[in-house]
Amino acid sequence: MGFADSRLAGGRSPQNRDGGSSSDRGGESTAAPIPVKLVVAGGFGVGKTTLVGAVSEIPPLTTEEEMTVASEGVDDLTGVERKETTTVALDFGRITISEEIVLYLFGAPGQNRFWPLWNDLALGAVGAVVLVDTRKLEEAFASVDFFERRGIPFVVAVNIFDDAYHYEPEEVREALVIPSEVPIVICDARDRELAKNALITLVRHAIDRAPADVG
């Protein structure tokens, strides 16, 4: 499963020589948390940096740079006309879900010219949140296709924008031709709990998709 320990797929805790679990000694767990790599993806200006910053328990690492005249005519600013910075490499954050699982978040840049970075960011990822803006829903097709082609589990998170029409999840599913098994959630990237719910939904979906442990 790459970045994540096989225990995420339902494996048993490491065994001691006496046959007992490492968590049995003294009634306290001594196992290190499972690191789980997740990618936050989507088109330009959909709120990826905002989501990572909202949920991260550490100051998020960002690679945002000021937008210049060089981006004029290249980046579509529809709906984000006041956007002054853009991610040029990645965003990084961390959130502890439980004593057993720690999520490491990698936000992908949205512009087409940075897409070669997506292959590196997706390497070892357990899954991805595809963040979409219903005002420019057509931009989500490329992100969905990227993870479908690579067999990486993903969920679609519909980001709430104040001036956007509210669509039901099933309407978004139909518009993007999303398979029925892929979760679609409503998410305000500014809201920690809603953003966290999208991540938890992804982890559960990834576990459901994981092969049964045969070890």
Side-chain angles (χ1 to χ4, degrees):
M1 189 172 286
F3 199 89
D5 190 281
S6 61
R7 286 171 290 171
L8 184 61
R12 294 175 295 178
S13 300
Q15 299 291 312
N16 299 325
R17 292 182 179 179
D18 60 3
S21 169
S22 60
S23 61
D24 294 337
R25 292 179 296 179
E28 295 183 0
S29 174
T30 58
I34 305 171
V36 178
K37 179 181 181 181
L38 302 180
V39 176
V40 180
F44 175 66
V46 296
K48 302 180 294 295
T49 299
T50 300
L51 187 147
V52 173
V55 300
S56 181
E57 63 196 18
I58 62 174
L61 167 67
T62 64
T63 56
E64 288 206 318
E65 297 291 342
E66 289 188 5
M67 298 181 65
T68 66
V69 292
S71 66
E72 293 181 4
V74 178
D75 297 328
D76 182 6
L77 295 179
T78 302
V80 289
E81 290 83 0
R82 291 181 293 179
K83 186 175 177 63
E84 298 179 348
T85 60
T86 183
T87 299
V88 296
L90 60 87
D91 300 313
F92 175 78
R94 185 189 72 199
I95 176 172
T96 301
I97 295 298
S98 67
E99 292 183 357
E100 292 79 26
I101 298 177
V102 176
L103 307 183
Y104 292 88
L105 311 178
F106 292 78
Q111 300 96 315
N112 292 343
R113 62 185 182 277
F114 296 127
W115 267 55
L117 292 171
W118 283 41
N119 288 317
D120 294 329
L121 292 177
L123 187 64
V126 168
V129 172
V130 175
L131 202 59
V132 303
D133 178 353
T134 57
R135 299 171 300 176
K136 42 185 180 179
L137 200 58
E138 69 282 354
E139 294 185 4
F141 283 105
S143 300
V144 169
D145 184 64
F146 179 90
F147 295 106
E148 281 186 336
R149 286 179 178 272
R150 288 159 180 76
I152 298 175
F154 67 95
V155 301
V156 172
V158 181
N159 196 11
I160 298 173
F161 288 89
D162 296 336
D163 60 344
Y165 179 80
H166 174 76
Y167 291 94
E168 295 297 329
E170 290 309 308
E171 293 179 287
V172 175
R173 184 184 305 280
E174 182 177 355
L176 292 177
V177 197
I178 301 296
S180 59
E181 66 271 15
V182 175
I184 297 180
V185 298
I186 303 299
C187 173
D188 186 335
R190 301 164 297 185
D191 186 293
R192 176 179 171 84
E193 291 306 314
L194 290 177
K196 183 178 177 180
N197 177 66
L199 299 175
I200 293 174
T201 300
L202 172 59
V203 172
R204 289 172 175 167
H205 179 55
I207 291 174
D208 291 341
R209 284 279 308 275
D213 182 15
V214 294

